[in-house]
Amino acid sequence: MSVSIQNSGNSDLAVDQTSSSNDFASASAPTDLQVSGNTIDTGRYLITASNTYTTGSAYNYYSTDDGCVRVYDKQTDTYVQVFGDPHIETSNETHGEFKQDGLVIDLADGTQVQVQPTALNQYGDSHINAVSVTKDNKTSFITGVYSETGDAHVQISAPQTGNAFQLNKTFDSYSDTVLHVGSSLNDLRFADNSALSSTGNTMLDRKGGGVQEFLNQRVPMQSIDSAIQASTAMASQGTQGVSAPEYSATSVANLRIETGYGK
């Protein structure tokens, strides 16, 4: 990782409002996903991907090859960025990191940002592999944020109909940690409504919330009941071919354990 020390502190973290307004000038904010360059506009949030990043005064360094995805809230003038190997940082300098589990950030306007890490390398580190941004059943994918060879180039796909899992099965949020946004992007909460610590560096792996996201993306529980009922009816009529939800036995067992369903 290429790192150089900066002495300008939080001033390095200022969002380029001029660039954003030029790229997204309009009489009214869009309600669906709008892609312009390396930025996705959800109406309320600007989600920008870059191969470089600058951190706040707590870390105070700049990288040219580790990659970053920043979410900026136009209403509250706050942000959260996911960067490096991977860490998160809010505009009030709350910090966290994750290594193996993915991270889902549920935004206040219904947008879901899912960060997929790479596999752990020989040093036990991972980086940002890909990111999905979903709103109103439209999804854009962000790739090229990080490359081991240092030649990454950010690409953002045009919005497609469907959620991230439907469009790309590797975006399975079953084991992801989910963060919900409260009053602003400085207020991030786990699935149990506990807040990230305002001091230190919170480990985000294994903090939960992904089971429900997994269910929402695969098939709702009531659909499992419907499939069972349909299977029973078809079997009674001697029908051999039965369509069922795509769950492995292990997944179903885990769902029952973690949700209490079927006990």
Side-chain angles (χ1 to χ4, degrees):
M1 178 176 70
S2 175
V3 172
S4 60
I5 301 298
Q6 302 292 309
N7 295 319
S8 51
N10 286 328
S11 62
D12 289 337
L13 297 172
V15 175
D16 186 348
Q17 298 285 1
T18 301
S19 174
S20 297
S21 61
N22 287 340
D23 288 343
F24 300 101
S26 61
S28 60
T31 58
D32 55 355
L33 300 181
Q34 302 288 325
V35 178
S36 178
N38 287 358
T39 299
I40 301 172
D41 190 348
T42 77
R44 173 168 175 173
Y45 298 96
L46 298 178
I47 302 169
T48 302
S50 174
N51 301 124
T52 67
Y53 64 84
T54 302
T55 66
S57 58
Y59 291 145
N60 197 21
Y61 63 82
Y62 171 79
S63 169
T64 58
D65 59 10
D66 255 354
C68 175
V69 174
R70 181 195 295 251
V71 182
Y72 172 72
D73 186 348
K74 304 175 192 177
Q75 290 188 17
T76 62
D77 191 28
T78 59
Y79 73 82
V80 58
Q81 64 178 4
V82 182
F83 62 94
D85 55 347
H87 290 253
I88 69 167
E89 178 181 69
T90 64
S91 42
N92 68 346
E93 297 208 359
T94 295
H95 294 95
E97 64 177 310
F98 56 104
K99 297 291 186 181
Q100 294 177 284
D101 294 341
L103 181 69
V104 174
I105 304 176
D106 278 340
L107 302 177
D109 68 347
T111 301
Q112 184 182 80
V113 179
Q114 185 173 357
V115 183
Q116 181 189 80
T118 64
L120 294 175
N121 62 21
Q122 59 182 323
Y123 306 108
D125 294 325
S126 58
H127 291 81
I128 300 173
N129 181 51
V131 177
S132 66
V133 178
T134 302
K135 183 183 181 186
D136 296 333
N137 203 39
K138 296 286 187 179
T139 300
S140 287
F141 292 97
I142 302 173
T143 56
V145 176
Y146 168 78
S147 169
E148 287 189 5
T149 56
D151 57 354
H153 178 67
V154 171
Q155 295 185 1
I156 301 180
S157 69
Q160 307 169 62
T161 300
N163 63 44
F165 177 79
Q166 290 169 334
L167 297 169
N168 184 336
K169 293 296 191 290
T170 67
F171 277 84
D172 186 340
S173 60
Y174 177 67
S175 63
D176 289 355
T177 293
V178 179
L179 293 176
H180 299 275
V181 174
S183 58
S184 74
L185 290 175
N186 289 334
D187 180 18
L188 300 177
R189 296 183 175 273
F190 295 110
D192 64 1
N193 202 40
S194 62
L196 272 70
S197 173
S198 59
T199 60
N201 193 38
T202 302
M203 175 53 71
L204 304 179
D205 285 342
R206 301 295 187 265
K207 288 298 191 296
V211 171
Q212 188 59 50
E213 301 299 330
F214 176 90
L215 291 175
N216 289 340
Q217 290 191 12
R218 287 291 182 96
V219 60
M221 275 299 184
Q222 58 265 33
S223 296
I224 297 177
D225 292 336
S226 298
I228 293 172
Q229 293 170 5
S231 300
T232 302
M234 295 174 72
S236 67
Q237 298 171 11
T239 305
Q240 298 299 316
V242 176
S243 289
E246 295 180 1
Y247 283 99
S248 68
T250 302
S251 295
V252 173
N254 287 340
L255 289 173
R256 286 176 175 167
I257 291 170
E258 297 191 42
T259 67
Y261 181 85
K263 288 185 178 179

